[in-house]
Amino acid sequence: MTVIFEKSVAGRRGARPPECDVPDRAEVASRLLRDRPAELPELSEADVVRHFTALSRKNFGVDSGFYPLGSCTMKYNPKATEQIARLAGFCELHPLLPQLPGGDVMVQGALEVLFEMNRLLCEICGMSAFTTQPLAGAHGELTGVMIMAAYHKHKKNRKTRILIPDTAHGTNPASAAIAGYQVQTLPSDETGLMNLRTLAAAMDDEVAGVMLTCPNTLGLFNPDIARICRMVHEADGLMYCDGANLNALLGVCRPGDIGFDIIHVNLHKTFATPHGGGGPGAGPVGVCERLVDYLPASVVRKNPDGSYRLDYDLAHSIGYVAPFYGNFGVILKAYAYLLMLGGEGLRRVAENAVLNANYVREKLKGHYDLPYPQPCKHECVFSASAQAAAGVRAIDIAKALIDRGFHPPTMYFPTTVPEALMIEPTETESKETLDAFIAAMIEIAELARTDPQQITGCPRTTPVGRLDETRAARKPDLASL
Ligand SMILES: *Cc1c(COP(=O)(O)O)cnc(C)c1O
């Protein structure tokens, strides 16, 4: 594979731009002028198309195959919602469009989307109000913990710590620390859950709150969750729900009803937006009634005449957490997705997510260690420790899956499971796809036993084999494929 610059031939053209209509170079200060023309590749149209088509084929994405990455739900990106996000009436809007007399007349449709999205998320999560401002899950967490801090400050509570289980996503302790709290990590018990005894031993009046993922990152639902909420509330602590992956709960139970006070959800995991490359994402935050006044400004309100306006006048707001109203295109896609599914469809998302994960768990449990064997929710976590003892580690299994046309599952997370393989089959995957993946996993487990070098030598089908990952990150060589 050569880079496009190496294919350049002086004078070759794919398209001819119209005559230049920007001011003559004589009008530009001479110190700003180039002394040589810009180095741009010169190629024909076919050269360019073939170059990028070849590159795209080296990529693996949800459009090329099964993607069982755990704790990272949304591998279903409906094409219809992409089309809706591209509608000119939405994508040609600008947040600084003039506010005409009588309200934000030119952006009424966009405000309605935000208002309705907040309303639907309240209904799905059992919360009183939502903000769509946060631009990612971690950003939502920080917003949520800032709301928690504002509440305690207002009530003059002296709070110093946030309790977080050892299975949490790394962003949880990071968000709590950035918001100024000490983080106390609570060890999970032998069933993989936060238990009441450990919590009681850690609780005191200085605990600002507990951040819990629900179901947790092992895919397990904590049957003591309501009692945990009660215990934390007794010390005027707040319950934070990391709802990044809400697939298992949709339409079945609502975190607000369980007793959670704050939640963030990842639209780019649970609600139809592509997830990858660090963005774009959206991490809306919902709160219970007594925290509504602390939400970020602005808030979209509905006027008695049915029109919408932005309200900046919030007494205890934590202020802006993002420019304007959040990642509008992402919110729009998620809104379209919710309308497409409806209440019944959402419930089926949850049922199929749980069914698919338990199917994979049952089929693979004789072949890989399953440290927490109880039924799971939307994902299941295996350990490759038996294979590792024979020299085949989780990373080798991941590379062998690539050769078999599958994206690897999440590995080495949660850190409480040695050689973790965290599998989350999306709810939209068919039984045939799951069966093919299961067959590949079983074949790999057999080979790990009988002929381990077949696995440790993978991948063999990719443009490059095993990379020195540190060197690849520090001194990337993008041209020598
Ligand atoms: C992905 C994830 C996050 C963080 O979300 P980002 O959008 O990547 O910042 C937080 N918690 C859990 C459980 C997650 O899976």
Side-chain angles (χ1 to χ4, degrees):
M1 189 82 214
T2 43
V3 292
I4 196 161
F5 289 90
E6 294 172 279
K7 294 179 177 166
S8 177
V9 175
R12 190 161 289 169
R13 288 285 176 275
R16 302 226 166 249
E19 278 301 301
C20 182
D21 64 351
V22 294
D24 190 73
R25 50 188 282 147
E27 292 176 28
V28 178
S30 60
R31 69 189 165 79
L32 298 176
L33 289 177
R34 296 177 172 280
D35 41 26
R36 285 181 285 125
E39 275 181 43
L40 298 174
E42 299 177 74
L43 293 103
S44 71
E45 182 184 286
D47 291 340
V48 174
V49 171
R50 285 175 195 156
H51 179 79
F52 286 106
T53 304
L55 279 184
S56 74
R57 285 197 193 137
K58 295 188 193 308
N59 238 338
F60 190 97
V62 289
D63 290 344
S64 23
F66 183 55
Y67 217 100
L69 211 55
S71 254
C72 189
T73 318
M74 202 63 216
K75 283 90 61 176
Y76 173 50
N77 310 141
K79 304 297 178 250
T81 55
E82 297 291 331
Q83 279 172 6
I84 286 166
R86 274 203 295 270
L87 290 176
F90 285 120
C91 70
E92 288 173 10
L93 279 180
H94 191 282
L96 288 180
L97 274 173
Q99 301 194 4
L100 299 180
D104 303 309
V105 172
M106 292 183 77
V107 293
Q108 282 295 305
L111 294 181
E112 182 177 349
V113 168
L114 296 174
F115 183 87
E116 282 297 305
M117 187 62 183
N118 285 335
R119 193 179 65 76
L120 293 180
L121 287 174
C122 284
E123 193 174 323
I124 291 167
C125 297
M127 291 289 166
S128 297
F130 254 86
T131 173
T132 50
Q133 272 188 38
L135 303 170
H139 194 197
E141 291 171 30
L142 179 61
T143 304
V145 182
M146 283 167 66
I147 290 171
M148 194 185 277
Y151 166 82
H152 289 309
K153 190 168 170 210
H154 190 218
K155 288 198 71 184
K156 300 197 165 50
N157 287 341
R158 187 188 135 71
K159 300 285 190 182
T160 54
R161 292 185 343 274
I162 290 186
L163 310 182
I164 302 176
D166 55 2
T167 49
H169 196 277
T171 49
N172 289 191
S175 301
I178 291 173
Y181 286 108
Q182 290 160 29
V183 173
Q184 186 177 349
T185 306
L186 298 192
S188 304
D189 68 10
E190 62 290 346
T191 63
L193 301 170
M194 173 182 279
N195 82 22
L196 291 165
R197 252 174 303 114
T198 318
L199 176 64
M203 273 312 294
D204 60 35
D205 286 344
E206 292 200 5
V207 171
V210 173
M211 292 178 90
L212 275 186
T213 307
C214 182
N216 76 7
T217 60
L218 293 163
L220 304 175
F221 188 83
N222 195 326
D224 284 330
I225 189 71
R227 285 203 281 173
I228 289 175
C229 292
R230 244 176 284 135
M231 194 185 285
V232 173
H233 287 152
E234 274 161 22
D236 203 10
L238 294 174
M239 284 301 295
Y240 184 98
C241 179
D242 180 335
N245 307 284
L246 216 62
N247 295 45
L249 302 186
L250 294 175
V252 176
C253 83
R254 312 195 308 168
D257 297 342
I258 294 172
F260 283 104
D261 305 291
I262 311 173
I263 185 172
H264 86 267
V265 299
N266 281 19
L267 299 187
H268 49 291
K269 287 181 181 171
T270 307
F271 298 105
T273 284
H275 185 194
V285 169
V287 294
C288 64
E289 191 58 41
R290 64 200 158 118
L291 299 178
V292 167
D293 289 346
Y294 304 97
L295 280 176
S298 56
V299 171
V300 187
R301 306 256 188 239
K302 192 167 185 174
N303 298 318
D305 69 358
S307 63
Y308 299 89
R309 71 191 150 85
L310 291 168
D311 181 2
Y312 297 86
D313 194 16
L314 299 155
H316 304 298
S317 167
I318 60 166
Y320 262 107
V321 297
F324 305 111
Y325 327 110
N327 216 336
F328 184 75
V330 173
I331 298 161
L332 178 59
K333 272 183 246 186
Y335 178 60
Y337 183 63
L338 291 180
L339 294 188
M340 270 160 53
L341 287 181
E344 185 57 30
L346 282 177
R347 193 185 168 92
R348 282 180 50 204
V349 164
E351 289 166 356
N352 287 332
V354 173
L355 181 64
N356 280 2
N358 281 288
Y359 182 67
V360 172
R361 185 182 62 80
E362 270 304 306
K363 291 281 182 183
L364 290 182
K365 72 179 183 190
H367 304 273
Y368 294 90
D369 283 351
L370 190 59
Y372 304 103
Q374 63 265 50
C376 60
K377 294 292 174 265
H378 60 296
E379 62 195 1
C380 55
V381 181
F382 289 95
S383 165
S385 49
Q387 286 80 6
V392 175
R393 303 194 55 204
I395 190 159
D396 301 311
I397 293 165
K399 303 292 183 197
L401 279 170
I402 293 174
D403 274 352
R404 286 155 181 80
F406 298 103
H407 192 283
T410 297
M411 291 177 299
Y412 301 108
F413 180 77
T415 50
T416 48
V417 174
E419 298 295 326
L421 290 167
M422 177 198 239
I423 298 170
E424 181 176 3
T426 311
E427 63 275 0
T428 41
E429 296 293 349
S430 66
K431 180 170 180 297
E432 289 79 4
T433 301
L434 299 185
D435 284 338
F437 171 73
I438 289 161
M441 286 292 286
I442 293 174
E443 188 220 341
I444 292 168
E446 303 267 290
L447 282 174
R449 223 163 19 84
T450 54
D451 191 3
Q453 276 167 7
Q454 288 254 15
I455 303 301
T456 52
C458 294
R460 296 191 177 81
T461 58
T462 47
V464 289
R466 218 45 99 85
L467 293 174
D468 175 339
E469 290 184 9
T470 313
R471 239 184 84 221
R474 300 251 164 87
K475 294 192 176 136
D477 174 3
L478 303 176
S480 64
L481 297 185

